[in-house]
Amino acid sequence: MTGQETGEATAAVEIRRVSKIFGAGSERQVVALDDVGVTIRDNEFFTLLGPSGCGKTTLLRLIAGFEQPTAGEILLFGSHLEGLPPHRRPVNTVFQQYALFPHMTVAENIGFGLLMQGRPKPEIEETVTRMLALVRMEALAGRRTDQLSGGQQQRVALARALAPHPKVLLLDEPLSALDLKLRKEMQIELKRLQHETGITFIFVTHDQEEALTMSDRIAVMSDGAILQVGTPRQIYDHPARRFVADFIGEINILPAELTEIHGETARVRLASGQERTARLPEGSVEAGRVNVAIRPEHVRLGSPDGAALTGRVRNIVYFGTGTHYHLELEGVADAGGPAAAGGAFTVELQNRLGGADEHAVGERLGVLVEDGTLQVLCD
């Protein structure tokens, strides 16, 4: 799946060939988005994932109406949004800074937007009661927001944004200020809120774990472009491009020679001379020198005799649930091709209760690579 991908479900947001250039025509112009296209489905938790400066927040601001596109179209449930000011768009935004009113209570903060819209008092009270229950803050309805913890303040900000029942909720890295444990708890809470409300969530983050944990689909962005769109499993197990493979989790990238193509798979020859079946990305790939990727947890260590790859253990890192073995592979650094930048390779083995390290630094080992665990990359 790539940036122009669409689905059969109802389209909540359609981004059609959108570009955004800041300072257009000047010597200092910056291309923040370059001909971006993607369709976000109704009732979907969709994440824009990428490093700082990749354009993900700019795209979110275009949907919200805080910026206007230089070119292209943005549609919300089939209606064009270009030129429409933020207050006339049926979307709401939750920012990194929650911007709550410290002199107001939790309930007053949640109902403030409805009050500004002139909603009847009984409707406001009913909606606030429902939102308090949704974010599990009924007991704190009368407390001032400056007396709340960071996680509680975030729940209030979410409830306030959800109260008018927007068609789309935009979230710009709202978990970045929370500590690790609370951030993990709120990841689960956000997914629950999206499921219970049925509202389309568009979430911006640079945190790959957040994206994999919460998303129905992820768009990986770099340099103002969408490189790949897919489910968390598709993005993790089948990265199409080297940047996606590098950015999502730990990965080993090796040079290989693509010798045969059979539909969605191919035969590749590794530096050892052994061949394995590898998955192909979407798009055209020709025989010849390629990069192949494999996750550290998808290989095993064993005898070097007859192994697909061989190398020596240079470092061992224990991290609780597993152990990383860092190897220097033999023959890979001299194999040529686009990935020949040394033979560093990581293997992750799951720790067993009462188990001890099975291998030692300096030990020569074989890396066992099974058919189908390798992924050919486009670049």
Side-chain angles (χ1 to χ4, degrees), residues 341-371:
F345 193 93
T346 301
V347 177
E348 179 183 330
L349 301 182
Q350 187 173 6
N351 292 328
R352 300 186 302 273
L353 184 63
D357 290 347
E358 298 178 4
H359 307 290
V361 172
E363 187 177 355
R364 184 173 182 265
L365 295 167
V367 179
L368 310 181
V369 180
E370 297 183 358
D371 279 340

Side-chain angles (χ1 to χ4, degrees), residues 25 67 72 81 86-87 148 172-173 195 198 242 290 303 312 316 372:
E67 304 283 353
L81 294 180
H87 68 274
L148 302 177
D172 187 10
E173 303 204 51
H195 178 75
R242 180 164 185 159
V290 294
S303 169
R312 291 193 181 276
I316 300 174

Side-chain angles (χ1 to χ4, degrees), residues 301 311-316 324-328 359-365:
L301 293 174
R312 291 193 181 276
V313 179
R314 296 304 183 199
N315 194 23
I316 300 174
H324 280 179
Y325 292 88
H326 297 276
L327 283 74
E328 186 71 24
H359 307 290
V361 172
E363 187 177 355
R364 184 173 182 265
L365 295 167

Side-chain angles (χ1 to χ4, degrees), residues 10-326:
T10 301
V13 177
E14 295 175 78
I15 309 297
R16 298 178 179 175
R17 306 201 65 174
V18 165
S19 295
K20 178 62 180 178
I21 302 174
F22 292 101
S26 71
E27 294 181 356
R28 297 184 178 180
Q29 76 172 23
V30 175
V31 180
L33 294 171
D34 186 12
D35 199 28
V36 169
V38 68
T39 297
I40 300 168
R41 303 164 185 161
D42 187 23
N43 191 18
E44 180 174 40
F45 199 120
F46 190 90
T47 296
L48 301 171
L49 173 68
S52 297
C54 71
K56 57 188 185 295
T57 295
T58 298
L59 184 53
L60 199 78
R61 289 176 63 83
L62 290 176
I63 298 170
F66 301 126
E67 304 283 353
Q68 294 297 323
T70 304
E73 302 174 315
I74 302 176
L75 284 76
L76 181 72
F77 290 96
S79 299
H80 283 266
L81 294 180
E82 305 96 77
L84 206 62
H87 68 274
R88 293 186 58 193
R89 301 187 182 202
V91 303
N92 255 347
T93 307
V94 178
F95 299 99
Q96 294 182 40
Q97 303 298 326
Y98 309 137
L100 300 175
F101 300 112
H103 62 285
M104 291 185 182
T105 66
V106 167
E108 289 169 343
N109 267 275
I110 294 173
F112 181 78
L114 301 175
L115 184 65
M116 292 298 98
Q117 293 177 357
R119 302 283 185 90
K121 185 177 180 180
E123 179 186 339
I124 295 175
E125 292 176 349
E126 180 184 348
T127 302
V128 169
T129 299
R130 189 169 67 251
M131 291 299 107
L132 286 167
L134 185 66
V135 297
R136 300 169 179 171
M137 299 237 350
E138 301 99 314
L140 300 176
R143 184 174 296 183
R144 290 207 322 267
T145 56
D146 60 356
Q147 299 172 329
L148 302 177
S149 68
Q152 290 169 338
Q153 288 181 3
Q154 195 220 39
R155 289 170 187 261
V156 177
L158 286 167
R160 183 178 63 182
L162 290 168
H165 199 76
K167 291 185 177 180
V168 174
L169 184 65
L170 310 174
L171 302 110
D172 187 10
E173 303 204 51
L175 307 183
S176 61
L178 304 179
D179 61 56
L180 178 61
K181 184 175 181 181
L182 185 54
R183 192 159 67 244
K184 289 180 177 294
E185 292 175 358
M186 289 308 303
Q187 290 170 9
I188 297 171
E189 283 298 295
L190 275 177
K191 184 58 183 173
R192 177 186 67 83
L193 288 171
Q194 190 276 323
H195 178 75
E196 291 187 8
T197 61
I199 294 172
T200 301
F201 279 27
I202 303 178
F203 187 88
V204 161
T205 186
H206 63 274
D207 188 318
Q208 55 187 269
E209 183 180 335
E210 281 186 357
L212 293 172
T213 299
M214 297 186 292
S215 310
D216 295 316
R217 288 190 304 151
I218 300 168
V220 182
M221 299 186 66
S222 177
D223 294 330
I226 292 178
L227 302 185
Q228 187 173 355
V229 177
T231 66
R233 185 175 294 277
Q234 289 167 340
I235 294 291
Y236 186 83
D237 286 342
H238 308 294
R241 305 176 69 170
R242 180 164 185 159
F243 177 88
V244 177
D246 269 334
F247 193 74
I248 306 292
E250 293 203 42
I251 197 81
N252 297 300
I253 298 178
L254 300 168
E257 183 179 358
L258 196 156
T259 58
E260 301 175 34
I261 297 177
H262 304 285
E264 296 181 354
T265 63
R267 294 291 288 178
V268 295
R269 184 178 295 117
L270 301 174
S272 64
Q274 292 198 20
E275 291 195 357
R276 292 290 185 272
T277 298
R279 302 182 300 267
L280 287 173
E282 289 190 1
S284 59
V285 178
E286 298 180 356
R289 302 300 298 178
V290 294
N291 287 328
V292 293
I294 188 167
R295 297 289 178 188
E297 68 271 21
H298 291 167
V299 293
R300 294 178 292 117
L301 293 174
S303 169
D305 298 331
L309 301 165
T310 56
R312 291 193 181 276
V313 179
R314 296 304 183 199
N315 194 23
I316 300 174
V317 180
Y318 173 87
F319 59 96
T321 58
T323 298
H324 280 179
Y325 292 88
H326 297 276

